[in-house]
Every structure is written in C-alpha cells, then in structure tokens.
Amino acid sequence: QCESFVRRAPPLPPEEAGNLLQQVLTRLEEAMLGHMLFSDLSPQGCVNASEAMERYVVKRCRAVLMVRTSEQRRRDEALSERLKRLATFLEPLHLDVTPSRIHPEAWGKA
C-alpha cells in the first residue's frame, strides 16, 4: 500500500520528498504511540517502536523514494570501482587501526 501511494504521488525534488516523508513519519509515530496497544511502553520502548516503524516504512518505499538519476548511478559505479581498487592494497594499519582492534573476518567483509 505504501508503494502504491508513493507511486501515485507526483515526483518531488529530493529535499521536498524528504521533508514530506518526515512529516508522514511524525504523524504515524504520534498515531502509533497514542494507540492503547502502546500505552504501557517505557520511553525506550517508544523509541524502539518508532525506529522499527520508520525502518519498515522507508524499506517499503525505498525503491520509489530513492530513485537515482543516471548521473548519480554513474558516480556510484565510479566510487564503487575506486573502493574496489583501494581494497586491493589498503590494510588496517594504513588507517591507524591498532592491532588489537583488527578482526580479519570483519576486515575481509569491509
């Protein structure tokens, strides 16, 4: 439903779309936390519930909201290529990472 709603909306500049999304998320949060199912939540529970709701909505609408132009895709591809080249010789010690903090498995995934 979220995606169909967003697809029906006219295209907006990124900043305006971001502001509109923030307004929607704020209203959703207020409605959600005002519901009796959430009345017994601790302050941290409210934060956790709000963040989970935000992640869900953004994930569902991501493909529509985060449309990239061909120029952005080109820049992203160029950046990815540069990062791949850096990864061929860059080591944790080049980044002043102390040996005690180097985890080979995590470094390999980075």
Side-chain angles (χ1 to χ4, degrees):
Q1 289 179 342
C2 181
E3 287 182 45
S4 64
F5 169 75
V6 173
R7 287 188 197 285
R8 288 190 312 240
L12 297 171
E15 186 174 319
E16 193 174 333
N19 290 338
L20 181 60
L21 177 61
Q22 190 58 50
Q23 291 172 13
V24 168
L25 290 172
T26 299
R27 281 189 249 137
L28 278 172
E29 179 182 1
E30 290 168 356
M32 180 182 75
L33 296 178
H35 192 276
M36 65 184 214
L37 289 174
F38 296 91
S39 62
D40 293 337
L41 284 181
S42 67
Q44 186 59 48
C46 291
V47 169
N48 293 345
S50 296
E51 288 176 355
M53 182 267 309
E54 182 176 341
R55 280 192 305 273
Y56 176 79
V57 169
V58 171
K59 181 180 177 183
R60 298 291 300 170
C61 297
R62 180 175 173 74
V64 178
L65 293 172
M66 309 299 178
V67 175
R68 297 181 302 165
T69 65
S70 58
E71 174 63 22
Q72 288 170 325
R73 278 192 293 275
R74 186 191 65 71
R75 286 194 335 247
D76 287 350
E77 289 169 7
L79 179 59
S80 291
E81 188 60 36
R82 288 180 70 191
L83 290 173
K84 285 179 190 174
R85 287 189 302 241
L86 277 173
T88 62
F89 69 88
L90 192 63
E91 297 291 329
L93 296 175
H94 293 124
L95 302 173
D96 293 331
V97 177
T98 59
S100 64
R101 298 212 177 256
I102 296 173
H103 302 282
E105 295 164 2
W107 183 256
K109 293 178 183 179

